[in-house]
Coordinates of all heavy atoms in Angstrom, one line a residue:
G27 N 71.0 66.0 114.8 CA 70.1 66.1 116.0 C 70.2 67.4 116.6 O 71.2 68.2 116.5
S28 N 69.1 67.8 117.3 CA 69.1 69.1 117.9 C 69.7 69.0 119.3 O 69.6 68.0 120.0 CB 67.7 69.7 118.0 OG 66.8 68.7 118.7
G29 N 70.3 70.1 119.8 CA 70.9 70.1 121.1 C 69.9 70.1 122.2 O 68.7 70.5 122.0
Q30 N 70.3 69.8 123.4 CA 69.5 69.8 124.6 C 69.2 71.2 125.0 O 70.1 72.0 125.0 CB 70.1 69.0 125.7 CG 70.3 67.5 125.6 CD 69.0 66.8 125.9 OE1 68.0 67.2 125.4 NE2 69.0 65.7 126.6
G31 N 67.9 71.5 125.3 CA 67.5 72.8 125.9 C 68.2 72.8 127.3 O 68.4 71.8 127.9
S32 N 68.5 74.0 127.7 CA 69.1 74.2 129.0 C 68.1 73.9 130.2 O 67.2 74.7 130.4 CB 69.7 75.6 129.2 OG 68.7 76.5 129.1
G33 N 68.3 72.8 130.9 CA 67.4 72.4 132.0 C 66.0 72.6 131.7 O 65.3 73.1 132.6
S34 N 65.5 72.1 130.6 CA 64.1 72.2 130.3 C 63.3 71.3 131.2 O 63.4 70.1 131.1 CB 63.8 71.9 128.8 OG 64.2 70.5 128.6
A35 N 62.5 71.9 132.1 CA 61.6 71.2 132.9 C 60.4 70.7 132.1 O 59.8 71.5 131.5 CB 61.2 72.0 134.1
Q36 N 60.2 69.4 132.1 CA 59.1 68.9 131.2 C 57.8 69.2 131.9 O 57.6 69.0 133.0 CB 59.3 67.4 131.1 CG 58.4 66.7 130.1 CD 58.7 67.2 128.7 OE1 59.8 67.4 128.3 NE2 57.6 67.4 127.9
A37 N 57.0 69.9 131.1 CA 55.6 70.2 131.5 C 54.8 68.9 131.6 O 54.9 68.1 130.6 CB 54.9 71.2 130.6
R38 N 54.1 68.7 132.6 CA 53.3 67.5 132.8 C 51.8 67.9 133.0 O 51.6 68.8 133.8 CB 53.7 66.6 134.0 CG 55.2 66.2 133.8 CD 55.4 64.9 134.6 NE 55.1 65.0 136.0 CZ 54.7 64.0 136.8 NH1 54.4 62.8 136.2 NH2 54.4 64.2 138.0
T39 N 50.9 67.1 132.4 CA 49.5 67.4 132.6 C 49.0 66.2 133.4 O 49.1 65.1 133.1 CB 48.8 67.5 131.2 OG1 49.3 68.6 130.5 CG2 47.3 67.8 131.5
V40 N 48.3 66.6 134.5 CA 47.8 65.6 135.4 C 46.3 65.9 135.7 O 45.9 67.0 135.9 CB 48.6 65.6 136.8 CG1 48.1 64.5 137.7 CG2 50.1 65.6 136.5
T41 N 45.5 64.8 135.6 CA 44.1 65.0 135.9 C 43.8 64.4 137.3 O 44.1 63.2 137.6 CB 43.2 64.3 134.9 OG1 43.6 64.8 133.6 CG2 41.7 64.5 135.1
G42 N 43.2 65.2 138.2 CA 42.9 64.7 139.5 C 41.7 63.8 139.5 O 41.0 63.7 138.5
D43 N 41.4 63.1 140.6 CA 40.2 62.3 140.7 C 39.0 63.2 140.8 O 39.1 64.3 141.3 CB 40.3 61.5 142.0 CG 41.5 60.5 142.0 OD1 41.8 60.0 140.9 OD2 42.0 60.2 143.1
A44 N 37.9 62.8 140.2 CA 36.7 63.5 140.3 C 36.2 63.6 141.7 O 36.2 62.6 142.4 CB 35.6 62.9 139.4
A45 N 35.8 64.7 142.2 CA 35.3 64.9 143.5 C 33.7 65.1 143.4 O 33.3 65.9 142.7 CB 35.9 66.1 144.2
Q46 N 33.0 64.3 144.2 CA 31.6 64.3 144.1 C 31.1 65.5 145.1 O 31.5 65.5 146.2 CB 31.0 63.0 144.6 CG 31.3 61.8 143.7 CD 30.9 62.0 142.2 OE1 29.9 62.6 141.9 NE2 31.7 61.5 141.3
T47 N 30.2 66.3 144.5 CA 29.6 67.3 145.4 C 28.1 67.1 145.3 O 27.6 66.3 144.6 CB 29.9 68.7 144.9 OG1 29.1 69.0 143.7 CG2 31.4 68.9 144.5
Q48 N 27.4 67.9 146.1 CA 25.9 67.8 146.2 C 25.3 68.1 144.8 O 24.2 67.6 144.5 CB 25.4 68.9 147.1 CG 24.0 68.7 147.6 CD 23.6 69.6 148.8 OE1 24.4 69.8 149.6 NE2 22.4 70.2 148.7
Y49 N 26.0 68.8 143.9 CA 25.4 69.2 142.6 C 26.1 68.5 141.4 O 25.7 68.7 140.3 CB 25.6 70.7 142.4 CG 24.8 71.5 143.5 CD1 25.5 72.1 144.5 CD2 23.4 71.5 143.5 CE1 24.8 72.8 145.5 CE2 22.7 72.2 144.5 CZ 23.4 72.8 145.5 OH 22.8 73.5 146.5
G50 N 27.0 67.6 141.7 CA 27.6 66.9 140.6 C 29.1 66.8 140.8 O 29.7 67.3 141.8
A51 N 29.8 66.1 139.9 CA 31.3 65.9 140.1 C 32.0 67.1 139.6 O 31.6 67.8 138.7 CB 31.7 64.7 139.3
V52 N 33.2 67.3 140.3 CA 34.1 68.3 139.8 C 35.5 67.6 139.6 O 35.9 66.9 140.5 CB 34.3 69.5 140.9 CG1 35.3 70.5 140.4 CG2 33.0 70.1 141.2
Q53 N 36.1 67.8 138.4 CA 37.3 67.2 138.2 C 38.3 68.2 137.6 O 37.9 69.0 136.6 CB 37.2 66.0 137.2 CG 38.4 65.2 137.1 CD 38.1 63.9 136.3 OE1 37.2 63.8 135.5 NE2 39.0 62.9 136.5
V54 N 39.5 68.3 138.1 CA 40.4 69.3 137.7 C 41.6 68.7 137.0 O 42.2 67.7 137.5 CB 40.9 70.1 139.0 CG1 41.9 71.2 138.6 CG2 39.7 70.7 139.7
R55 N 42.1 69.3 135.9 CA 43.3 69.0 135.2 C 44.3 70.1 135.3 O 43.9 71.3 135.1 CB 43.0 68.6 133.8 CG 44.2 68.2 133.0 CD 43.8 67.6 131.6 NE 43.2 68.6 130.8 CZ 42.3 68.4 129.8 NH1 41.9 67.1 129.6 NH2 41.8 69.3 129.1
I56 N 45.5 69.8 135.7 CA 46.5 70.8 135.9 C 47.7 70.5 135.0 O 48.0 69.3 134.7 CB 47.0 71.0 137.3 CG1 47.5 69.7 137.9 CG2 45.9 71.6 138.2 CD1 48.2 69.8 139.2
T57 N 48.4 71.6 134.6 CA 49.7 71.4 133.9 C 50.7 71.9 134.8 O 50.6 73.1 135.3 CB 49.7 72.2 132.6 OG1 48.6 71.7 131.7 CG2 51.0 72.0 131.8
V58 N 51.7 71.1 135.1 CA 52.8 71.5 136.1 C 54.1 71.5 135.3 O 54.4 70.6 134.5 CB 52.9 70.4 137.2 CG1 54.0 70.8 138.2 CG2 51.5 70.3 137.9
S59 N 54.8 72.6 135.5 CA 56.1 72.8 134.9 C 57.1 73.4 135.9 O 56.8 74.4 136.5 CB 56.0 73.7 133.7 OG 57.3 73.9 133.0
G60 N 58.2 72.7 136.1 CA 59.2 73.2 137.0 C 58.6 73.3 138.4 O 59.0 74.2 139.2
G61 N 57.7 72.3 138.8 CA 57.2 72.3 140.1 C 56.1 73.3 140.4 O 55.6 73.4 141.5
K62 N 55.7 74.0 139.3 CA 54.7 75.1 139.5 C 53.4 74.8 138.6 O 53.6 74.2 137.5 CB 55.2 76.5 139.1 CG 56.3 77.0 140.1 CD 56.9 78.3 139.5 CE 55.8 79.4 139.6 NZ 56.5 80.7 139.9
I63 N 52.3 75.1 139.1 CA 51.1 75.0 138.3 C 51.1 76.1 137.3 O 51.1 77.3 137.6 CB 49.8 75.1 139.1 CG1 49.8 74.0 140.2 CG2 48.5 75.0 138.3 CD1 48.6 74.1 141.2
T64 N 51.1 75.7 136.0 CA 51.1 76.8 134.9 C 49.7 76.9 134.3 O 49.4 77.9 133.7 CB 52.1 76.4 133.8 OG1 51.8 75.1 133.3 CG2 53.5 76.4 134.4
K65 N 48.9 75.9 134.5 CA 47.5 75.9 134.0 C 46.6 75.0 134.8 O 47.1 74.0 135.3 CB 47.5 75.5 132.5 CG 46.2 75.6 131.8 CD 46.3 75.2 130.4 CE 45.0 75.3 129.6 NZ 45.0 74.6 128.3
A66 N 45.4 75.4 135.0 CA 44.4 74.6 135.7 C 43.1 74.8 135.0 O 42.7 75.9 134.6 CB 44.3 75.0 137.2
E67 N 42.4 73.7 134.8 CA 41.1 73.7 134.2 C 40.2 72.6 134.7 O 40.6 71.6 135.1 CB 41.2 73.6 132.7 CG 42.0 72.4 132.2 CD 42.3 72.4 130.7 OE1 41.5 72.9 129.9 OE2 43.4 71.8 130.4
A68 N 38.9 72.9 134.8 CA 37.9 71.9 135.3 C 37.4 71.2 134.0 O 36.9 71.8 133.1 CB 36.8 72.6 136.0
V69 N 37.7 69.9 134.0 CA 37.2 69.1 132.9 C 35.8 68.6 133.2 O 35.1 68.1 132.3 CB 38.2 67.9 132.6 CG1 39.5 68.4 132.0 CG2 38.5 67.1 133.8
Q70 N 35.4 68.6 134.5 CA 34.1 68.2 134.9 C 33.6 69.2 135.9 O 34.4 69.6 136.8 CB 34.1 66.8 135.5 CG 33.4 65.8 134.7 CD 33.2 64.5 135.5 OE1 32.1 64.2 135.9 NE2 34.3 63.8 135.7
A71 N 32.4 69.7 135.8 CA 31.8 70.6 136.8 C 30.3 70.4 136.8 O 29.7 70.0 135.8 CB 32.2 72.0 136.6
P72 N 29.6 70.8 137.9 CA 28.2 70.7 137.9 C 27.5 71.4 136.7 O 27.9 72.5 136.4 CB 27.8 71.3 139.2 CG 29.0 71.1 140.1 CD 30.1 71.3 139.1
K73 N 26.5 70.7 136.1 CA 25.8 71.3 134.9 C 24.3 71.3 135.2 O 23.8 70.5 136.0 CB 26.1 70.4 133.7 CG 27.5 70.6 133.1 CD 27.6 69.8 131.8 CE 28.9 70.1 131.1 NZ 30.1 69.8 131.9
G74 N 23.7 72.1 134.4 CA 22.2 72.2 134.4 C 21.6 73.2 135.4 O 22.1 73.4 136.5
G75 N 20.6 73.9 134.9 CA 19.9 74.9 135.7 C 20.8 75.9 136.3 O 21.7 76.5 135.6
Q76 N 20.7 76.2 137.6 CA 21.5 77.2 138.2 C 22.9 76.9 138.3 O 23.8 77.7 138.4 CB 20.9 77.5 139.6 CG 21.3 78.8 140.2 CD 20.8 78.9 141.7 OE1 19.9 78.2 142.1 NE2 21.4 79.9 142.4
S77 N 23.2 75.5 138.3 CA 24.6 75.1 138.4 C 25.4 75.6 137.3 O 26.6 76.0 137.4 CB 24.7 73.6 138.4 OG 24.2 73.0 139.6
D78 N 24.8 75.7 136.1 CA 25.5 76.2 134.9 C 26.1 77.6 135.2 O 27.2 77.9 134.9 CB 24.6 76.3 133.7 CG 24.6 75.0 132.9 OD1 25.5 74.2 133.1 OD2 23.6 74.8 132.1
R79 N 25.2 78.5 135.7 CA 25.6 79.9 136.0 C 26.7 79.9 137.0 O 27.6 80.7 136.9 CB 24.4 80.7 136.4 CG 24.5 82.2 136.1 CD 23.2 82.9 136.1 NE 22.6 82.9 137.5 CZ 21.4 82.3 137.8 NH1 20.8 81.6 136.9 NH2 21.0 82.3 139.0
I80 N 26.5 79.1 138.1 CA 27.5 79.1 139.2 C 28.8 78.6 138.7 O 29.9 79.2 138.9 CB 27.0 78.3 140.3 CG1 25.7 78.9 141.0 CG2 28.0 78.0 141.4 CD1 25.0 78.1 142.0
T81 N 28.8 77.5 137.9 CA 30.0 76.9 137.4 C 30.7 77.9 136.4 O 31.9 78.1 136.5 CB 29.7 75.6 136.6 OG1 29.1 74.7 137.6 CG2 30.9 75.0 136.0
S82 N 30.0 78.6 135.5 CA 30.6 79.4 134.6 C 31.2 80.7 135.3 O 32.2 81.3 134.8 CB 29.7 79.9 133.5 OG 28.6 80.7 134.0
N83 N 30.7 81.0 136.4 CA 31.2 82.1 137.2 C 32.4 81.7 138.0 O 33.4 82.3 138.1 CB 30.1 82.7 138.1 CG 30.7 83.7 139.1 OD1 31.4 84.7 138.7 ND2 30.3 83.6 140.4
A84 N 32.3 80.5 138.7 CA 33.3 80.1 139.7 C 34.5 79.5 139.1 O 35.6 79.7 139.5 CB 32.6 79.1 140.6
V85 N 34.3 78.6 138.0 CA 35.4 77.8 137.5 C 36.6 78.7 137.0 O 37.7 78.4 137.4 CB 35.0 76.8 136.5 CG1 36.1 76.2 135.7 CG2 34.2 75.7 137.1
P86 N 36.4 79.7 136.2 CA 37.5 80.6 135.8 C 38.3 81.2 137.0 O 39.5 81.3 136.9 CB 36.9 81.6 134.9 CG 35.6 81.1 134.5 CD 35.1 80.2 135.6
R87 N 37.5 81.6 138.0 CA 38.2 82.1 139.2 C 39.0 81.1 140.0 O 40.0 81.4 140.5 CB 37.1 82.8 140.0 CG 36.5 84.0 139.4 CD 35.2 84.5 140.0 NE 35.4 85.0 141.3 CZ 34.3 85.5 142.0 NH1 33.1 85.5 141.5 NH2 34.5 86.0 143.2
L88 N 38.4 79.9 140.0 CA 39.1 78.8 140.7 C 40.4 78.4 139.9 O 41.4 78.2 140.5 CB 38.2 77.6 140.9 CG 37.0 77.8 141.9 CD1 36.0 76.7 141.7 CD2 37.5 77.8 143.3
N89 N 40.2 78.4 138.6 CA 41.4 78.1 137.8 C 42.5 79.1 138.0 O 43.7 78.7 138.1 CB 41.0 78.1 136.3 CG 40.1 76.9 135.9 OD1 40.0 75.9 136.6 ND2 39.4 77.1 134.8
Q90 N 42.1 80.3 138.0 CA 43.1 81.4 138.2 C 43.7 81.3 139.6 O 45.0 81.5 139.8 CB 42.4 82.8 138.0 CG 43.3 84.0 138.2 CD 44.5 84.0 137.1 OE1 44.2 83.8 135.9 NE2 45.7 84.1 137.6
A91 N 42.9 81.0 140.6 CA 43.4 80.9 142.0 C 44.4 79.8 142.1 O 45.4 79.9 142.8 CB 42.2 80.7 142.9
A92 N 44.1 78.7 141.5 CA 45.0 77.5 141.5 C 46.4 77.9 141.0 O 47.4 77.5 141.6 CB 44.4 76.3 140.8
V93 N 46.4 78.6 139.9 CA 47.7 79.0 139.3 C 48.4 80.0 140.1 O 49.6 79.9 140.4 CB 47.5 79.5 137.8 CG1 48.8 80.1 137.3 CG2 46.9 78.5 136.9
T94 N 47.7 80.9 140.7 CA 48.2 82.0 141.5 C 48.8 81.4 142.8 O 49.9 81.7 143.2 CB 47.2 83.1 141.9 OG1 46.7 83.6 140.6 CG2 47.8 84.2 142.7
A95 N 48.0 80.5 143.5 CA 48.4 79.9 144.7 C 49.5 78.9 144.6 O 50.4 78.7 145.4 CB 47.2 79.3 145.4
G96 N 49.4 78.1 143.5 CA 50.3 77.1 143.2 C 50.1 75.8 144.1 O 50.9 74.9 144.1
N97 N 48.9 75.8 144.8 CA 48.6 74.7 145.6 C 47.0 74.6 145.7 O 46.4 75.4 145.1 CB 49.2 74.7 147.0 CG 48.9 76.0 147.7 OD1 47.8 76.5 147.7 ND2 49.9 76.6 148.3
A98 N 46.6 73.8 146.6 CA 45.1 73.6 146.7 C 44.5 74.5 147.8 O 43.3 74.4 148.1 CB 44.8 72.1 147.0
E99 N 45.4 75.3 148.4 CA 44.9 76.2 149.5 C 44.3 77.5 148.9 O 44.8 78.6 149.0 CB 46.0 76.6 150.4 CG 46.7 75.4 151.0 CD 45.8 74.5 151.9 OE1 45.1 75.1 152.7 OE2 45.8 73.3 151.7
I100 N 43.2 77.3 148.2 CA 42.5 78.4 147.5 C 41.2 78.8 148.1 O 40.5 77.9 148.7 CB 42.3 78.2 146.0 CG1 41.5 76.9 145.7 CG2 43.7 78.0 145.3 CD1 41.2 76.6 144.3
D101 N 40.8 80.0 148.1 CA 39.6 80.5 148.7 C 38.4 80.0 147.9 O 38.4 79.9 146.7 CB 39.5 82.0 148.8 CG 40.6 82.5 149.7 OD1 40.8 81.9 150.8 OD2 41.1 83.6 149.5
A102 N 37.3 79.6 148.6 CA 36.1 79.3 147.9 C 35.5 80.5 147.2 O 35.6 81.6 147.8 CB 35.1 78.7 148.9
V103 N 34.9 80.4 146.1 CA 34.2 81.4 145.4 C 32.8 81.6 146.1 O 32.1 80.6 146.2 CB 34.0 81.1 143.9 CG1 33.2 82.2 143.2 CG2 35.4 81.0 143.2
S104 N 32.5 82.8 146.5 CA 31.2 83.0 147.2 C 30.1 82.6 146.3 O 30.1 82.9 145.1 CB 31.1 84.4 147.7 OG 30.6 85.3 146.7
G105 N 29.1 81.9 146.8 CA 28.0 81.4 146.1 C 28.2 80.1 145.4 O 27.4 79.6 144.7
A106 N 29.5 79.6 145.5 CA 29.8 78.3 144.8 C 30.6 77.5 145.8 O 31.6 76.9 145.5 CB 30.6 78.6 143.6
T107 N 30.0 77.4 147.0 CA 30.7 76.7 148.1 C 31.0 75.2 147.7 O 32.2 74.7 147.9 CB 29.9 76.7 149.4 OG1 29.4 78.0 149.6 CG2 30.7 76.3 150.6
Y108 N 30.0 74.5 147.2 CA 30.2 73.1 146.9 C 31.1 72.9 145.8 O 32.0 72.0 145.8 CB 28.8 72.4 146.6 CG 27.9 72.4 147.8 CD1 26.9 73.2 147.9 CD2 28.1 71.4 148.8 CE1 26.0 73.2 149.0 CE2 27.3 71.3 149.9 CZ 26.2 72.2 150.0 OH 25.4 72.2 151.1
T109 N 31.0 73.7 144.7 CA 31.9 73.6 143.6 C 33.3 73.9 144.0 O 34.2 73.2 143.6 CB 31.4 74.6 142.5 OG1 30.1 74.2 142.0 CG2 32.3 74.5 141.2
S110 N 33.5 74.9 144.8 CA 34.8 75.3 145.3 C 35.5 74.1 146.1 O 36.6 73.8 145.9 CB 34.8 76.5 146.1 OG 34.3 77.6 145.4
A111 N 34.7 73.5 147.0 CA 35.2 72.4 147.8 C 35.6 71.2 146.9 O 36.6 70.6 147.1 CB 34.1 72.0 148.8
G112 N 34.7 70.9 146.0 CA 35.0 69.8 145.1 C 36.2 70.1 144.2 O 37.1 69.2 144.0
Y113 N 36.3 71.3 143.8 CA 37.5 71.8 143.0 C 38.8 71.6 143.8 O 39.8 71.0 143.3 CB 37.3 73.2 142.6 CG 38.3 73.7 141.6 CD1 38.0 73.8 140.2 CD2 39.6 74.1 142.0 CE1 39.0 74.2 139.3 CE2 40.6 74.6 141.1 CZ 40.2 74.6 139.7 OH 41.1 75.0 138.8
R114 N 38.8 72.1 145.0 CA 40.0 71.9 145.9 C 40.3 70.5 146.1 O 41.5 70.1 146.0 CB 39.7 72.5 147.3 CG 40.0 74.0 147.3 CD 40.3 74.4 148.8 NE 39.1 74.2 149.6 CZ 38.3 75.1 150.0 NH1 38.5 76.3 149.6 NH2 37.3 74.8 150.8
Q115 N 39.3 69.6 146.3 CA 39.6 68.2 146.5 C 40.2 67.6 145.3 O 41.2 66.8 145.4 CB 38.2 67.5 146.8 CG 38.3 66.2 147.5 CD 37.0 65.6 147.9 OE1 36.0 66.4 148.2 NE2 36.8 64.3 147.7
S116 N 39.7 67.8 144.1 CA 40.2 67.3 142.9 C 41.6 67.9 142.6 O 42.5 67.2 142.1 CB 39.3 67.5 141.7 OG 39.8 66.9 140.6
L117 N 41.8 69.2 142.9 CA 43.1 69.8 142.6 C 44.1 69.2 143.5 O 45.2 68.9 143.1 CB 42.9 71.3 143.0 CG 44.2 72.2 142.9 CD1 44.9 72.1 141.6 CD2 43.9 73.6 143.3
Q118 N 43.8 68.9 144.8 CA 44.7 68.3 145.7 C 45.2 66.9 145.2 O 46.3 66.6 145.2 CB 44.1 68.2 147.1 CG 45.1 67.6 148.1 CD 46.3 68.5 148.3 OE1 46.2 69.7 148.7 NE2 47.5 67.9 148.0
S119 N 44.2 66.2 144.7 CA 44.5 64.9 144.2 C 45.4 64.9 142.9 O 46.3 64.1 142.8 CB 43.2 64.1 143.9 OG 43.1 63.7 142.6
A120 N 45.2 65.9 142.1 CA 46.0 66.1 140.9 C 47.5 66.5 141.4 O 48.4 66.0 140.8 CB 45.5 67.2 140.0
L121 N 47.5 67.3 142.4 CA 48.9 67.7 142.9 C 49.6 66.5 143.5 O 50.8 66.4 143.3 CB 48.7 68.9 144.0 CG 48.4 70.2 143.4 CD1 47.9 71.1 144.6 CD2 49.6 70.9 142.7
D122 N 48.8 65.7 144.2 CA 49.4 64.5 144.8 C 50.1 63.6 143.7 O 51.2 63.1 143.8 CB 48.4 63.7 145.6 CG 48.0 64.4 146.8 OD1 48.7 65.3 147.3 OD2 46.9 64.0 147.4
K123 N 49.3 63.5 142.6 CA 49.8 62.7 141.5 C 51.0 63.3 140.8 O 52.0 62.6 140.4 CB 48.7 62.5 140.4 CG 47.5 61.6 140.9 CD 46.5 61.5 139.8 CE 45.2 60.8 140.3 NZ 44.3 60.5 139.2
A124 N 50.9 64.6 140.7 CA 52.0 65.3 140.0 C 53.3 65.3 140.9 O 54.4 65.2 140.3 CB 51.6 66.8 139.7
G125 N 53.1 65.4 142.2 CA 54.2 65.4 143.1 C 55.0 64.1 143.2 O 56.2 64.0 143.4
G126 N 54.2 63.0 143.0 CA 54.8 61.7 143.0 C 55.2 61.3 144.4 O 55.3 62.0 145.3

């Protein structure tokens, strides 16, 4: 058998509840390791027409902000107010689940 890793904090992936916005649902999945967000991604975001462009611009920045901030207190991406608000809401719900 292999030995135990030294204090290996188990990485957990948690999906937040989908948050409804004026343009569609936003749902965030985070990976938490050692109490920190190591990865964040939107598994659902507004699609179609102008939403596509806004989403493809905003989501990577929101993902990055979530990892940097380590919580849901992230700034809205300008021009993507609704998506940002929905992202924060879903992110908070994922953090609540991860925190236990």
Side-chain angles (χ1 to χ4, degrees):
S28 57
Q30 290 282 45
S32 59
S34 62
Q36 191 63 37
R38 300 206 303 149
T39 302
V40 187
T41 305
D43 296 330
Q46 298 302 324
T47 78
Q48 194 168 323
Y49 299 107
V52 182
Q53 190 171 24
V54 182
R55 183 168 64 207
I56 57 171
T57 302
V58 180
S59 180
K62 294 174 67 144
I63 300 174
T64 57
K65 186 179 179 192
E67 53 190 326
V69 291
Q70 246 192 108
K73 283 185 174 57
Q76 198 184 345
S77 290
D78 273 343
R79 202 163 67 246
I80 291 170
T81 296
S82 65
N83 171 50
V85 166
R87 291 162 70 177
L88 291 164
N89 291 341
Q90 183 59 52
V93 172
T94 303
N97 57 43
E99 303 299 310
I100 56 177
D101 292 327
V103 174
S104 83
T107 314
Y108 293 104
T109 299
S110 300
Y113 189 100
R114 272 204 299 260
Q115 200 177 320
S116 184
L117 174 59
Q118 184 60 62
S119 123
L121 285 166
D122 290 345
K123 293 182 187 185

